Amino acid sequence: MATVGIFGGSGLYQLLTGAVEERWIETPYGPPSDKVVLGELGGRPVAFLPRHGRGHTIPPHKINYRANLWVMKSLGVDAVIGPCAVGSLQKHIEPGHVVLCDQFVDRTSGREDTFYEGPIVTHVSAAEPYCPILRAHALGVCQRRGMAVHGTGTMVVVNGPRFSTKAESRWYTQMGWDIIGMTQYPEAYLARELELPYINISLVTDYDAGLVSEGAEAVTHEAVLEVFAANIENLRGLLAELVETLPETSASPAKTALTGARLA
């Protein structure tokens, strides 16, 4: 069993310490992205699952988000951490900064995004999709570590795998949204459906395409990986301290997400 679940990607596969066990877990929703890796981080038992699969072989629109979240729920975790790489839509949010999302805007399509397909109709509120307890804790850890951090932010989630056109990116910027990514929906919302407190930690790797005309270069996959690699040790250290000092989450709004949500 594990107390904390972490989804991650490139550079985080060797995150855990101590005796490490790999386990394949079947789910009612099909296969997860990969085997879950069980070990320790910050002195706590942790489950790590590479959301794109080991070797980064699964594009964001093909990830089986329901299976991945079911794996974490089946392991009994009390909190889920979802670090990811994102692009900035605002000039003051610079590459290398960390954004702790409190909102998302879904611009994806065709993704399996609920566990509740009937016959009991269930409407889970997504008004505040991220756990405020975990976000406040992460903000304090980032500040203690001297990291450039934004304590709130809205991520627009696009389907991928393509990056945005300049027109799309400028529209997102004009809407006032802060960052852009491809994996927070439905991952964050599915965690809420399972009453799992969830936090996003977004590492900004680039300026998105709409800022090209103001001096920034258009995003490329190579550039994203370069900035991510340069900051991976900071992210590992942040995750270790975050897990080691994780607060009690029993009062998280996620724990009562299903209260009053079912029409039965």
Side-chain angles (χ1 to χ4, degrees):
M1 302 296 285
T3 59
V4 183
I6 300 176
F7 294 118
S10 301
L12 295 177
Y13 300 138
Q14 306 302 320
L15 185 67
L16 304 187
T17 60
V20 173
E21 174 193 355
E22 295 186 359
R23 186 184 303 175
W24 180 260
I25 297 179
E26 299 285 346
T27 86
Y29 303 96
S33 294
D34 210 317
K35 293 179 179 178
V36 64
V37 182
L38 302 171
E40 287 191 356
L41 184 66
R44 290 177 182 259
V46 169
F48 175 78
L49 185 61
R51 64 163 68 88
H52 293 280
R54 221 160 309 192
H56 209 97
T57 58
I58 307 172
H61 67 297
K62 293 292 188 180
I63 293 171
N64 191 341
Y65 295 96
R66 292 194 300 179
N68 289 352
L69 266 299
W70 187 265
V71 166
M72 295 302 184
K73 182 71 172 181
S74 71
L75 291 170
V77 302
D78 296 319
V80 178
I81 304 172
C84 63
V86 301
S88 172
L89 296 168
Q90 305 296 336
K91 292 175 69 174
H92 69 282
I93 302 176
E94 302 174 12
H97 287 194
V98 169
V99 179
L100 306 173
C101 286
D102 64 325
Q103 289 289 308
F104 64 71
V105 174
D106 171 30
R107 292 286 300 166
T108 68
S109 62
R111 300 185 179 190
E112 299 287 352
D113 61 358
T114 183
F115 291 105
Y116 304 117
E117 297 181 320
I120 299 176
V121 178
T122 305
H123 299 286
V124 175
S125 173
E128 300 288 344
Y130 297 97
C131 176
I133 296 173
L134 294 178
R135 194 174 74 252
H137 175 60
L139 177 61
V141 173
C142 287
Q143 291 171 337
R144 287 198 300 273
R145 297 181 67 84
M147 303 176 76
V149 60
H150 303 265
T152 60
T154 296
M155 181 192 299
V156 55
V157 188
V158 296
N159 214 46
R162 72 169 177 86
F163 292 123
S164 303
T165 67
K166 292 181 182 180
E168 289 169 333
S169 185
R170 289 193 184 104
W171 173 43
Y172 301 150
T173 297
Q174 290 165 3
M175 291 298 294
W177 303 329
D178 299 295
I179 54 177
I180 183 168
M182 298 180 184
T183 59
Q184 275 298 285
Y185 189 84
E187 186 175 283
Y189 175 68
L190 289 171
R192 180 56 59 97
E193 282 200 340
L194 294 178
E195 297 188 320
L196 292 173
Y198 181 98
I199 183 177
N200 165 254
I201 300 174
S202 289
L203 175 61
V204 179
T205 58
D206 59 273
Y207 284 114
D208 204 49
L211 297 176
V212 172
S213 61
E214 299 182 24
E217 295 182 358
V219 57
T220 66
H221 186 59
E222 181 181 14
V224 167
L225 293 179
E226 183 178 342
V227 175
F228 196 87
N231 289 274
I232 192 62
E233 289 305 320
N234 283 338
L235 182 56
R236 285 176 176 149
L238 168 61
L239 289 171
E241 185 172 347
L242 185 64
V243 171
E244 183 178 10
T245 59
L246 201 73
E248 170 64 46
T249 59
S250 60
S252 172
K255 294 290 190 178
T256 55
L258 293 179
T259 301
R262 287 177 169 155
L263 304 179

